Amino acid sequence: MKRFTEVMKALSDPNRVKIVKILQHRSMCVCELREALQVSQPTVSKHLKILERAGLVDYKKDGLWVDYFLTDGSTFVTGWKQMMRFPAWWIGSRLSTGWISANGSLFFFGV
Protein backbone atom coordinates (compact mmCIF):
# COMPACT_ATOMS: atom_id res chain seq x y z
CA MET A 1 0.00 0.00 0.00
CA LYS A 2 2.90 2.35 0.77
CA ARG A 3 4.28 2.04 -2.76
CA PHE A 4 0.89 2.81 -4.30
CA THR A 5 0.53 5.90 -2.10
CA GLU A 6 4.01 7.04 -3.14
CA VAL A 7 3.07 6.77 -6.81
CA MET A 8 -0.20 8.64 -6.32
CA LYS A 9 1.58 11.42 -4.42
CA ALA A 10 4.20 11.63 -7.17
CA LEU A 11 1.45 12.07 -9.76
CA SER A 12 -0.43 14.68 -7.72
CA ASP A 13 1.53 17.57 -9.23
CA PRO A 14 0.61 18.76 -12.75
CA ASN A 15 4.25 19.30 -13.73
CA ARG A 16 5.17 15.74 -12.74
CA VAL A 17 2.27 14.41 -14.81
CA LYS A 18 3.56 16.49 -17.73
CA ILE A 19 7.04 15.02 -17.27
CA VAL A 20 5.61 11.50 -17.39
CA LYS A 21 3.62 12.34 -20.53
CA ILE A 22 6.70 13.86 -22.19
CA LEU A 23 8.87 10.87 -21.29
CA GLN A 24 6.31 8.52 -22.86
CA HIS A 25 7.65 9.68 -26.22
CA ARG A 26 11.40 9.55 -25.60
CA SER A 27 14.07 9.94 -22.94
CA MET A 28 15.23 13.48 -22.19
CA CYS A 29 17.78 15.34 -20.14
CA VAL A 30 16.88 17.89 -17.48
CA CYS A 31 17.64 20.83 -19.77
CA GLU A 32 15.16 19.56 -22.38
CA LEU A 33 12.48 19.00 -19.75
CA ARG A 34 13.18 22.45 -18.30
CA GLU A 35 12.64 24.01 -21.69
CA ALA A 36 9.43 22.05 -22.31
CA LEU A 37 7.94 22.94 -18.91
CA GLN A 38 9.29 26.50 -18.74
CA VAL A 39 10.42 26.09 -15.13
CA SER A 40 13.83 26.30 -13.46
CA GLN A 41 16.38 23.49 -13.61
CA PRO A 42 16.28 22.88 -9.82
CA THR A 43 12.47 22.55 -10.01
CA VAL A 44 12.70 19.94 -12.77
CA SER A 45 15.39 18.07 -10.83
CA LYS A 46 13.20 18.04 -7.71
CA HIS A 47 10.24 16.68 -9.68
CA LEU A 48 12.42 14.00 -11.29
CA LYS A 49 13.76 12.92 -7.89
CA ILE A 50 10.19 12.48 -6.60
CA LEU A 51 9.22 10.47 -9.70
CA GLU A 52 12.38 8.41 -9.34
CA ARG A 53 11.63 7.61 -5.66
CA ALA A 54 8.14 6.51 -6.70
CA GLY A 55 9.68 4.13 -9.24
CA LEU A 56 8.18 5.85 -12.27
CA VAL A 57 11.36 7.35 -13.74
CA ASP A 58 14.94 6.19 -13.98
CA TYR A 59 18.05 7.62 -15.59
CA LYS A 60 21.17 6.60 -17.45
CA LYS A 61 24.39 8.57 -17.66
CA ASP A 62 26.08 9.16 -20.99
CA GLY A 63 29.26 11.10 -20.32
CA LEU A 64 28.17 14.45 -18.93
CA TRP A 65 24.56 13.93 -20.00
CA VAL A 66 21.91 12.30 -17.82
CA ASP A 67 18.88 11.04 -19.73
CA TYR A 68 15.66 10.32 -17.87
CA PHE A 69 13.15 7.73 -19.05
CA LEU A 70 10.02 5.96 -17.81
CA THR A 71 10.44 2.67 -16.02
CA ASP A 72 8.47 -0.41 -17.04
CA GLY A 73 5.79 0.36 -14.43
CA SER A 74 6.28 -2.76 -12.30
CA THR A 75 6.50 -0.65 -9.15
CA PHE A 76 3.11 0.88 -9.81
CA VAL A 77 1.51 -2.48 -10.66
CA THR A 78 2.81 -3.98 -7.43
CA GLY A 79 1.43 -1.06 -5.43
CA TRP A 80 -1.92 -1.25 -7.22
CA LYS A 81 -2.25 -4.98 -6.47
CA GLN A 82 -1.48 -4.32 -2.82
CA MET A 83 -4.10 -1.58 -2.64
CA MET A 84 -6.73 -3.84 -4.21
CA ARG A 85 -6.64 -6.10 -1.16
CA PHE A 86 -8.21 -3.46 1.10
CA PRO A 87 -11.93 -2.78 1.53
CA ALA A 88 -13.04 0.33 -0.32
CA TRP A 89 -14.25 2.08 2.83
CA TRP A 90 -10.68 1.86 4.10
CA ILE A 91 -9.18 3.31 0.91
CA GLY A 92 -11.27 6.45 0.68
CA SER A 93 -14.62 8.12 0.74
CA ARG A 94 -15.28 7.96 -3.01
CA LEU A 95 -15.39 4.18 -2.94
CA SER A 96 -17.07 3.93 0.45
CA THR A 97 -19.99 1.82 -0.79
CA GLY A 98 -17.99 -1.03 -2.30
CA TRP A 99 -15.41 -3.69 -1.78
CA ILE A 100 -12.39 -4.20 -4.01
CA SER A 101 -11.46 -7.82 -4.52
CA ALA A 102 -7.91 -9.14 -4.83
CA ASN A 103 -8.19 -9.27 -8.65
CA GLY A 104 -9.14 -5.59 -8.83
CA SER A 105 -12.89 -5.94 -9.39
CA LEU A 106 -15.10 -3.48 -7.58
CA PHE A 107 -18.31 -4.81 -6.09
CA PHE A 108 -20.89 -2.25 -4.98
CA PHE A 109 -23.34 -2.69 -2.17
CA GLY A 110 -25.48 -0.10 -0.46
CA VAL A 111 -25.89 3.41 -1.85
Side-chain angles (χ1 to χ4, degrees), residues 30-31 34-35 38-48:
V30 174
C31 59
R34 188 204 67 74
E35 186 65 33
Q38 293 296 299
V39 295
S40 69
Q41 182 271 326
T43 300
V44 173
S45 294
K46 178 185 146 198
H47 287 313
L48 286 167

Side-chain angles (χ1 to χ4, degrees), residues 44-93:
V44 173
S45 294
K46 178 185 146 198
H47 287 313
L48 286 167
K49 183 54 78 180
I50 292 168
L51 291 169
E52 185 184 338
R53 270 191 251 127
L56 297 172
V57 170
D58 205 356
Y59 65 91
K60 63 179 183 221
K61 290 187 177 187
D62 183 21
L64 295 175
W65 296 96
V66 179
D67 286 327
Y68 287 86
F69 58 91
L70 292 182
T71 61
D72 65 2
S74 61
T75 300
F76 176 76
V77 171
T78 301
W80 179 255
K81 285 180 181 176
Q82 288 173 353
M83 189 205 60
M84 290 296 124
R85 295 184 186 141
F86 292 94
W89 55 264
W90 192 85
I91 293 169
S93 61

